[in-house]
Amino acid sequence: MRVLVTGARGFIAKNLIQHLEEMEGVDVLAFTRADQTSDLEKLLDAVDWVFHLAGVNRPQDPKEFESGNKELTEHLCNALKRTNKKIPIVYSSSIQAEKENEYGLSKLAAEEALLEFNRETGTPIYIYRLPNVFGKWCRPSYNSVVATFCYNISHGIPIQINDPTAPMRLVYVDDVVEEFIGLFEQDYESHGLYKEVAPEYQITVGDLADLIGRFKNSRESLISERVGSGLVRAIYSTYVSYLSPEDFAYPVQQYGDPRGVFVEMLKTQDSGQFSFFTAHPGVTRGGHYHHSKTEKFLVIKGTACFRFRHVVSGEYHELHTSGETPQVVETVPGWTHDVTNTGDEELICMLWANEIFDRERPDTYTCALVDEKDVTEEVL
């Protein structure tokens, strides 16, 4: 299958083309501002689908709205007529087509040209009135508040907010691309003409700025936002895409003593924190219990002995683990515990705790362990 993408150097187009090129059996042809409209007929004669993403939204001369949106679309339709092929056309319009401004009127005129072409020829047409689209590779300080805020905040540049309560309608570029590519598998009769991208998100300008600011501050606090789903996930992915390569890494605090080092990596708002520690050969760490806190340990390198004793019954348990055979060891409230490096090399152990450490309420009580042999001798 061959696919033509107009406006191939644009933000949405670059994301779409990247996904198309990852698909087997799909060849992509590009039409850009450097090409002539007369080239369209030749390109169209060789393709099976058209994603018409070319357009003008920030011209130097308002007359470019007419030429870049309405007239270019008419040229596309006329060129396609001469091929005598019913090649599906996907058009990226705008919610501005519902408004009385020069840009919106030009997008509406382009839509009408496509609808008329559909009535004359039966060519499949898919029109998307997109709200604000955001994601990686969008040009900052142009026509995307999300891109501008992400770029400026990540680079320490001030942002300007005129009305923090102003609402925004947003769709994420990966969702746009997924919707577009999904058309390949749909039946036109039931899914043609006007369509929408889902999910659509809403956020105020002020809340957007606050959220991106928290992304930046998380490198100091180590507390992550809930970046695993929905709008926050999409904006976070967009934010980090604007980081300069020299900012791909950042330092975290390391705490060291004669036993080894301890480093906190990441803290979550409601699902605990992640860290790691080291222990020199023969060193024991821990020797405490918790009432509510739980932890998970994973030895990455070396060998270790974990010991546990119930603080009331005295029941004792120990287990051995190593980095060669990954095994998660979980601590249980009411059991004092420690870990000893039983090998000849440094022990490196990953640690997750179900809550962020609070120095005012640490829920950590010193209680040294003795091994089973010592307990037996004491009883005798």
Side-chain angles (χ1 to χ4, degrees), residues 149-178:
F149 282 8
C150 285
Y151 180 86
N152 284 18
I153 292 174
S154 66
H155 288 75
I157 302 171
I159 60 173
Q160 180 178 344
I161 300 177
N162 296 322
D163 181 5
T165 66
M168 300 176 60
R169 294 172 58 187
L170 301 172
V171 288
Y172 183 43
V173 70
D174 282 7
D175 294 326
V176 174
V177 170
E178 183 177 359

PDB file of all heavy atoms in Angstrom, residues 149-178:
ATOM      1  N   PHE A 149       4.732  25.934  26.554  1.00  0.00           N
ATOM      2  CA  PHE A 149       4.947  25.775  27.982  1.00  0.00           C
ATOM      3  C   PHE A 149       5.984  24.688  28.264  1.00  0.00           C
ATOM      4  O   PHE A 149       6.854  24.858  29.124  1.00  0.00           O
ATOM      5  CB  PHE A 149       3.633  25.435  28.684  1.00  0.00           C
ATOM      6  CG  PHE A 149       2.713  26.611  28.894  1.00  0.00           C
ATOM      7  CD1 PHE A 149       2.984  27.845  28.330  1.00  0.00           C
ATOM      8  CD2 PHE A 149       1.561  26.482  29.665  1.00  0.00           C
ATOM      9  CE1 PHE A 149       2.134  28.935  28.524  1.00  0.00           C
ATOM     10  CE2 PHE A 149       0.705  27.560  29.865  1.00  0.00           C
ATOM     11  CZ  PHE A 149       0.987  28.783  29.292  1.00  0.00           C
ATOM     12  N   CYS A 150       5.894  23.563  27.562  1.00  0.00           N
ATOM     13  CA  CYS A 150       6.846  22.466  27.788  1.00  0.00           C
ATOM     14  C   CYS A 150       8.270  22.925  27.469  1.00  0.00           C
ATOM     15  O   CYS A 150       9.206  22.654  28.231  1.00  0.00           O
ATOM     16  CB  CYS A 150       6.475  21.258  26.938  1.00  0.00           C
ATOM     17  SG  CYS A 150       5.052  20.316  27.532  1.00  0.00           S
ATOM     18  N   TYR A 151       8.434  23.592  26.342  1.00  0.00           N
ATOM     19  CA  TYR A 151       9.769  24.039  25.949  1.00  0.00           C
ATOM     20  C   TYR A 151      10.300  25.076  26.931  1.00  0.00           C
ATOM     21  O   TYR A 151      11.429  24.969  27.427  1.00  0.00           O
ATOM     22  CB  TYR A 151       9.746  24.608  24.535  1.00  0.00           C
ATOM     23  CG  TYR A 151      11.107  25.086  24.077  1.00  0.00           C
ATOM     24  CD1 TYR A 151      12.011  24.203  23.491  1.00  0.00           C
ATOM     25  CD2 TYR A 151      11.499  26.404  24.262  1.00  0.00           C
ATOM     26  CE1 TYR A 151      13.270  24.630  23.099  1.00  0.00           C
ATOM     27  CE2 TYR A 151      12.750  26.837  23.869  1.00  0.00           C
ATOM     28  CZ  TYR A 151      13.635  25.946  23.293  1.00  0.00           C
ATOM     29  OH  TYR A 151      14.887  26.377  22.920  1.00  0.00           O
ATOM     30  N   ASN A 152       9.506  26.093  27.209  1.00  0.00           N
ATOM     31  CA  ASN A 152       9.989  27.186  28.055  1.00  0.00           C
ATOM     32  C   ASN A 152      10.300  26.708  29.469  1.00  0.00           C
ATOM     33  O   ASN A 152      11.363  27.030  30.023  1.00  0.00           O
ATOM     34  CB  ASN A 152       8.956  28.307  28.105  1.00  0.00           C
ATOM     35  CG  ASN A 152       8.942  29.142  26.836  1.00  0.00           C
ATOM     36  OD1 ASN A 152       9.449  28.727  25.807  1.00  0.00           O
ATOM     37  ND2 ASN A 152       8.354  30.322  26.902  1.00  0.00           N
ATOM     38  N   ILE A 153       9.388  25.956  30.064  1.00  0.00           N
ATOM     39  CA  ILE A 153       9.607  25.509  31.443  1.00  0.00           C
ATOM     40  C   ILE A 153      10.791  24.571  31.525  1.00  0.00           C
ATOM     41  O   ILE A 153      11.609  24.654  32.452  1.00  0.00           O
ATOM     42  CB  ILE A 153       8.326  24.868  32.000  1.00  0.00           C
ATOM     43  CG1 ILE A 153       7.237  25.948  32.161  1.00  0.00           C
ATOM     44  CG2 ILE A 153       8.586  24.186  33.345  1.00  0.00           C
ATOM     45  CD1 ILE A 153       5.881  25.409  32.567  1.00  0.00           C
ATOM     46  N   SER A 154      10.944  23.676  30.561  1.00  0.00           N
ATOM     47  CA  SER A 154      12.073  22.743  30.589  1.00  0.00           C
ATOM     48  C   SER A 154      13.401  23.458  30.382  1.00  0.00           C
ATOM     49  O   SER A 154      14.453  22.956  30.788  1.00  0.00           O
ATOM     50  CB  SER A 154      11.895  21.647  29.535  1.00  0.00           C
ATOM     51  OG  SER A 154      11.960  22.184  28.220  1.00  0.00           O
ATOM     52  N   HIS A 155      13.369  24.639  29.761  1.00  0.00           N
ATOM     53  CA  HIS A 155      14.589  25.397  29.507  1.00  0.00           C
ATOM     54  C   HIS A 155      14.751  26.606  30.436  1.00  0.00           C
ATOM     55  O   HIS A 155      15.652  27.428  30.236  1.00  0.00           O
ATOM     56  CB  HIS A 155      14.621  25.883  28.051  1.00  0.00           C
ATOM     57  CG  HIS A 155      14.872  24.788  27.055  1.00  0.00           C
ATOM     58  ND1 HIS A 155      13.900  23.865  26.698  1.00  0.00           N
ATOM     59  CD2 HIS A 155      15.978  24.445  26.348  1.00  0.00           C
ATOM     60  CE1 HIS A 155      14.404  23.021  25.811  1.00  0.00           C
ATOM     61  NE2 HIS A 155      15.652  23.353  25.581  1.00  0.00           N
ATOM     62  N   GLY A 156      13.891  26.716  31.428  1.00  0.00           N
ATOM     63  CA  GLY A 156      14.003  27.807  32.379  1.00  0.00           C
ATOM     64  C   GLY A 156      13.632  29.163  31.812  1.00  0.00           C
ATOM     65  O   GLY A 156      14.109  30.205  32.288  1.00  0.00           O
ATOM     66  N   ILE A 157      12.759  29.176  30.795  1.00  0.00           N
ATOM     67  CA  ILE A 157      12.320  30.425  30.166  1.00  0.00           C
ATOM     68  C   ILE A 157      10.950  30.798  30.721  1.00  0.00           C
ATOM     69  O   ILE A 157      10.066  29.948  30.800  1.00  0.00           O
ATOM     70  CB  ILE A 157      12.246  30.267  28.634  1.00  0.00           C
ATOM     71  CG1 ILE A 157      13.621  29.854  28.072  1.00  0.00           C
ATOM     72  CG2 ILE A 157      11.763  31.547  27.973  1.00  0.00           C
ATOM     73  CD1 ILE A 157      13.573  29.477  26.598  1.00  0.00           C
ATOM     74  N   PRO A 158      10.724  32.047  31.106  1.00  0.00           N
ATOM     75  CA  PRO A 158       9.417  32.444  31.654  1.00  0.00           C
ATOM     76  C   PRO A 158       8.285  32.213  30.658  1.00  0.00           C
ATOM     77  O   PRO A 158       8.476  32.290  29.437  1.00  0.00           O
ATOM     78  CB  PRO A 158       9.590  33.942  31.949  1.00  0.00           C
ATOM     79  CG  PRO A 158      11.066  34.134  32.070  1.00  0.00           C
ATOM     80  CD  PRO A 158      11.686  33.166  31.115  1.00  0.00           C
ATOM     81  N   ILE A 159       7.105  31.922  31.178  1.00  0.00           N
ATOM     82  CA  ILE A 159       5.915  31.787  30.345  1.00  0.00           C
ATOM     83  C   ILE A 159       4.962  32.924  30.669  1.00  0.00           C
ATOM     84  O   ILE A 159       5.022  33.514  31.744  1.00  0.00           O
ATOM     85  CB  ILE A 159       5.212  30.430  30.557  1.00  0.00           C
ATOM     86  CG1 ILE A 159       4.775  30.272  32.014  1.00  0.00           C
ATOM     87  CG2 ILE A 159       6.110  29.285  30.124  1.00  0.00           C
ATOM     88  CD1 ILE A 159       3.932  29.037  32.268  1.00  0.00           C
ATOM     89  N   GLN A 160       4.084  33.210  29.729  1.00  0.00           N
ATOM     90  CA  GLN A 160       3.101  34.273  29.919  1.00  0.00           C
ATOM     91  C   GLN A 160       1.702  33.676  29.915  1.00  0.00           C
ATOM     92  O   GLN A 160       1.343  32.920  29.004  1.00  0.00           O
ATOM     93  CB  GLN A 160       3.220  35.321  28.813  1.00  0.00           C
ATOM     94  CG  GLN A 160       2.215  36.460  28.941  1.00  0.00           C
ATOM     95  CD  GLN A 160       2.383  37.511  27.863  1.00  0.00           C
ATOM     96  OE1 GLN A 160       3.412  37.562  27.197  1.00  0.00           O
ATOM     97  NE2 GLN A 160       1.363  38.344  27.678  1.00  0.00           N
ATOM     98  N   ILE A 161       0.907  33.998  30.934  1.00  0.00           N
ATOM     99  CA  ILE A 161      -0.466  33.522  31.032  1.00  0.00           C
ATOM    100  C   ILE A 161      -1.378  34.733  31.177  1.00  0.00           C
ATOM    101  O   ILE A 161      -1.294  35.474  32.160  1.00  0.00           O
ATOM    102  CB  ILE A 161      -0.647  32.586  32.241  1.00  0.00           C
ATOM    103  CG1 ILE A 161       0.273  31.369  32.118  1.00  0.00           C
ATOM    104  CG2 ILE A 161      -2.100  32.139  32.355  1.00  0.00           C
ATOM    105  CD1 ILE A 161       0.210  30.436  33.305  1.00  0.00           C
ATOM    106  N   ASN A 162      -2.244  34.919  30.199  1.00  0.00           N
ATOM    107  CA  ASN A 162      -3.165  36.045  30.249  1.00  0.00           C
ATOM    108  C   ASN A 162      -4.399  35.723  31.085  1.00  0.00           C
ATOM    109  O   ASN A 162      -4.853  36.546  31.875  1.00  0.00           O
ATOM    110  CB  ASN A 162      -3.579  36.448  28.827  1.00  0.00           C
ATOM    111  CG  ASN A 162      -2.398  36.944  28.007  1.00  0.00           C
ATOM    112  OD1 ASN A 162      -1.515  37.630  28.525  1.00  0.00           O
ATOM    113  ND2 ASN A 162      -2.365  36.582  26.736  1.00  0.00           N
ATOM    114  N   ASP A 163      -4.938  34.532  30.908  1.00  0.00           N
ATOM    115  CA  ASP A 163      -6.120  34.111  31.657  1.00  0.00           C
ATOM    116  C   ASP A 163      -5.932  32.678  32.107  1.00  0.00           C
ATOM    117  O   ASP A 163      -6.136  31.744  31.331  1.00  0.00           O
ATOM    118  CB  ASP A 163      -7.376  34.235  30.786  1.00  0.00           C
ATOM    119  CG  ASP A 163      -8.645  33.816  31.532  1.00  0.00           C
ATOM    120  OD1 ASP A 163      -8.555  33.517  32.739  1.00  0.00           O
ATOM    121  OD2 ASP A 163      -9.713  33.794  30.885  1.00  0.00           O
ATOM    122  N   PRO A 164      -5.549  32.445  33.373  1.00  0.00           N
ATOM    123  CA  PRO A 164      -5.298  31.075  33.833  1.00  0.00           C
ATOM    124  C   PRO A 164      -6.549  30.193  33.841  1.00  0.00           C
ATOM    125  O   PRO A 164      -6.441  28.972  33.869  1.00  0.00           O
ATOM    126  CB  PRO A 164      -4.766  31.271  35.256  1.00  0.00           C
ATOM    127  CG  PRO A 164      -5.241  32.611  35.672  1.00  0.00           C
ATOM    128  CD  PRO A 164      -5.295  33.443  34.426  1.00  0.00           C
ATOM    129  N   THR A 165      -7.729  30.803  33.809  1.00  0.00           N
ATOM    130  CA  THR A 165      -8.968  30.012  33.831  1.00  0.00           C
ATOM    131  C   THR A 165      -9.447  29.633  32.432  1.00  0.00           C
ATOM    132  O   THR A 165     -10.444  28.923  32.295  1.00  0.00           O
ATOM    133  CB  THR A 165     -10.085  30.783  34.546  1.00  0.00           C
ATOM    134  OG1 THR A 165     -10.427  31.953  33.782  1.00  0.00           O
ATOM    135  CG2 THR A 165      -9.656  31.203  35.946  1.00  0.00           C
ATOM    136  N   ALA A 166      -8.759  30.098  31.402  1.00  0.00           N
ATOM    137  CA  ALA A 166      -9.186  29.814  30.027  1.00  0.00           C
ATOM    138  C   ALA A 166      -9.147  28.307  29.764  1.00  0.00           C
ATOM    139  O   ALA A 166      -8.117  27.666  29.978  1.00  0.00           O
ATOM    140  CB  ALA A 166      -8.288  30.549  29.039  1.00  0.00           C
ATOM    141  N   PRO A 167     -10.250  27.727  29.280  1.00  0.00           N
ATOM    142  CA  PRO A 167     -10.273  26.277  29.028  1.00  0.00           C
ATOM    143  C   PRO A 167      -9.605  25.925  27.703  1.00  0.00           C
ATOM    144  O   PRO A 167      -9.593  26.729  26.768  1.00  0.00           O
ATOM    145  CB  PRO A 167     -11.766  25.964  28.993  1.00  0.00           C
ATOM    146  CG  PRO A 167     -12.392  27.227  28.485  1.00  0.00           C
ATOM    147  CD  PRO A 167     -11.553  28.359  29.015  1.00  0.00           C
ATOM    148  N   MET A 168      -9.082  24.718  27.634  1.00  0.00           N
ATOM    149  CA  MET A 168      -8.466  24.216  26.415  1.00  0.00           C
ATOM    150  C   MET A 168      -9.029  22.839  26.098  1.00  0.00           C
ATOM    151  O   MET A 168      -9.238  22.013  26.988  1.00  0.00           O
ATOM    152  CB  MET A 168      -6.940  24.099  26.576  1.00  0.00           C
ATOM    153  CG  MET A 168      -6.230  25.383  26.889  1.00  0.00           C
ATOM    154  SD  MET A 168      -4.467  25.092  27.167  1.00  0.00           S
ATOM    155  CE  MET A 168      -3.976  24.393  25.594  1.00  0.00           C
ATOM    156  N   ARG A 169      -9.256  22.593  24.806  1.00  0.00           N
ATOM    157  CA  ARG A 169      -9.624  21.262  24.314  1.00  0.00           C
ATOM    158  C   ARG A 169      -8.398  20.662  23.640  1.00  0.00           C
ATOM    159  O   ARG A 169      -7.807  21.295  22.754  1.00  0.00           O
ATOM    160  CB  ARG A 169     -10.791  21.343  23.327  1.00  0.00           C
ATOM    161  CG  ARG A 169     -12.092  21.814  23.938  1.00  0.00           C
ATOM    162  CD  ARG A 169     -13.132  22.046  22.854  1.00  0.00           C
ATOM    163  NE  ARG A 169     -13.376  20.848  22.061  1.00  0.00           N
ATOM    164  CZ  ARG A 169     -14.141  20.829  20.964  1.00  0.00           C
ATOM    165  NH1 ARG A 169     -14.677  21.966  20.506  1.00  0.00           N
ATOM    166  NH2 ARG A 169     -14.323  19.701  20.302  1.00  0.00           N
ATOM    167  N   LEU A 170      -8.018  19.468  24.050  1.00  0.00           N
ATOM    168  CA  LEU A 170      -6.768  18.879  23.582  1.00  0.00           C
ATOM    169  C   LEU A 170      -6.967  17.448  23.092  1.00  0.00           C
ATOM    170  O   LEU A 170      -7.775  16.694  23.649  1.00  0.00           O
ATOM    171  CB  LEU A 170      -5.735  18.848  24.715  1.00  0.00           C
ATOM    172  CG  LEU A 170      -5.322  20.169  25.365  1.00  0.00           C
ATOM    173  CD1 LEU A 170      -4.452  19.893  26.585  1.00  0.00           C
ATOM    174  CD2 LEU A 170      -4.567  21.031  24.368  1.00  0.00           C
ATOM    175  N   VAL A 171      -6.206  17.075  22.077  1.00  0.00           N
ATOM    176  CA  VAL A 171      -6.046  15.670  21.701  1.00  0.00           C
ATOM    177  C   VAL A 171      -4.550  15.413  21.538  1.00  0.00           C
ATOM    178  O   VAL A 171      -3.799  16.289  21.101  1.00  0.00           O
ATOM    179  CB  VAL A 171      -6.806  15.290  20.413  1.00  0.00           C
ATOM    180  CG1 VAL A 171      -8.303  15.258  20.653  1.00  0.00           C
ATOM    181  CG2 VAL A 171      -6.458  16.221  19.262  1.00  0.00           C
ATOM    182  N   TYR A 172      -4.158  14.203  21.892  1.00  0.00           N
ATOM    183  CA  TYR A 172      -2.741  13.822  21.876  1.00  0.00           C
ATOM    184  C   TYR A 172      -2.383  13.263  20.511  1.00  0.00           C
ATOM    185  O   TYR A 172      -3.139  12.485  19.918  1.00  0.00           O
ATOM    186  CB  TYR A 172      -2.504  12.783  22.966  1.00  0.00           C
ATOM    187  CG  TYR A 172      -1.079  12.333  23.144  1.00  0.00           C
ATOM    188  CD1 TYR A 172      -0.030  13.232  23.136  1.00  0.00           C
ATOM    189  CD2 TYR A 172      -0.794  10.986  23.350  1.00  0.00           C
ATOM    190  CE1 TYR A 172       1.277  12.810  23.322  1.00  0.00           C
ATOM    191  CE2 TYR A 172       0.503  10.559  23.551  1.00  0.00           C
ATOM    192  CZ  TYR A 172       1.537  11.468  23.531  1.00  0.00           C
ATOM    193  OH  TYR A 172       2.821  11.044  23.722  1.00  0.00           O
ATOM    194  N   VAL A 173      -1.216  13.636  20.004  1.00  0.00           N
ATOM    195  CA  VAL A 173      -0.858  13.280  18.640  1.00  0.00           C
ATOM    196  C   VAL A 173      -0.813  11.772  18.421  1.00  0.00           C
ATOM    197  O   VAL A 173      -1.183  11.284  17.336  1.00  0.00           O
ATOM    198  CB  VAL A 173       0.494  13.934  18.247  1.00  0.00           C
ATOM    199  CG1 VAL A 173       1.665  13.294  18.988  1.00  0.00           C
ATOM    200  CG2 VAL A 173       0.705  13.881  16.743  1.00  0.00           C
ATOM    201  N   ASP A 174      -0.410  10.996  19.413  1.00  0.00           N
ATOM    202  CA  ASP A 174      -0.394   9.543  19.236  1.00  0.00           C
ATOM    203  C   ASP A 174      -1.803   8.991  19.060  1.00  0.00           C
ATOM    204  O   ASP A 174      -2.012   8.009  18.332  1.00  0.00           O
ATOM    205  CB  ASP A 174       0.281   8.865  20.431  1.00  0.00           C
ATOM    206  CG  ASP A 174       1.795   8.960  20.373  1.00  0.00           C
ATOM    207  OD1 ASP A 174       2.316   9.656  19.481  1.00  0.00           O
ATOM    208  OD2 ASP A 174       2.462   8.352  21.230  1.00  0.00           O
ATOM    209  N   ASP A 175      -2.784   9.617  19.729  1.00  0.00           N
ATOM    210  CA  ASP A 175      -4.179   9.200  19.555  1.00  0.00           C
ATOM    211  C   ASP A 175      -4.681   9.595  18.170  1.00  0.00           C
ATOM    212  O   ASP A 175      -5.465   8.855  17.555  1.00  0.00           O
ATOM    213  CB  ASP A 175      -5.064   9.824  20.633  1.00  0.00           C
ATOM    214  CG  ASP A 175      -4.735   9.319  22.025  1.00  0.00           C
ATOM    215  OD1 ASP A 175      -4.364   8.141  22.148  1.00  0.00           O
ATOM    216  OD2 ASP A 175      -4.838  10.102  22.980  1.00  0.00           O
ATOM    217  N   VAL A 176      -4.245  10.750  17.670  1.00  0.00           N
ATOM    218  CA  VAL A 176      -4.605  11.171  16.318  1.00  0.00           C
ATOM    219  C   VAL A 176      -4.057  10.177  15.300  1.00  0.00           C
ATOM    220  O   VAL A 176      -4.771   9.715  14.396  1.00  0.00           O
ATOM    221  CB  VAL A 176      -4.077  12.589  16.020  1.00  0.00           C
ATOM    222  CG1 VAL A 176      -4.335  12.967  14.562  1.00  0.00           C
ATOM    223  CG2 VAL A 176      -4.727  13.606  16.954  1.00  0.00           C
ATOM    224  N   VAL A 177      -2.802   9.822  15.453  1.00  0.00           N
ATOM    225  CA  VAL A 177      -2.167   8.894  14.519  1.00  0.00           C
ATOM    226  C   VAL A 177      -2.833   7.525  14.580  1.00  0.00           C
ATOM    227  O   VAL A 177      -3.088   6.899  13.538  1.00  0.00           O
ATOM    228  CB  VAL A 177      -0.657   8.778  14.825  1.00  0.00           C
ATOM    229  CG1 VAL A 177      -0.037   7.636  14.038  1.00  0.00           C
ATOM    230  CG2 VAL A 177       0.050  10.095  14.508  1.00  0.00           C
ATOM    231  N   GLU A 178      -3.125   7.059  15.782  1.00  0.00           N
ATOM    232  CA  GLU A 178      -3.790   5.759  15.914  1.00  0.00           C
ATOM    233  C   GLU A 178      -5.154   5.773  15.229  1.00  0.00           C
ATOM    234  O   GLU A 178      -5.539   4.805  14.561  1.00  0.00           O
ATOM    235  CB  GLU A 178      -3.962   5.410  17.391  1.00  0.00           C
ATOM    236  CG  GLU A 178      -4.593   4.039  17.626  1.00  0.00           C
ATOM    237  CD  GLU A 178      -4.687   3.674  19.099  1.00  0.00           C
ATOM    238  OE1 GLU A 178      -4.241   4.479  19.947  1.00  0.00           O
ATOM    239  OE2 GLU A 178      -5.207   2.594  19.404  1.00  0.00           O
TER     240      GLU A 178
END
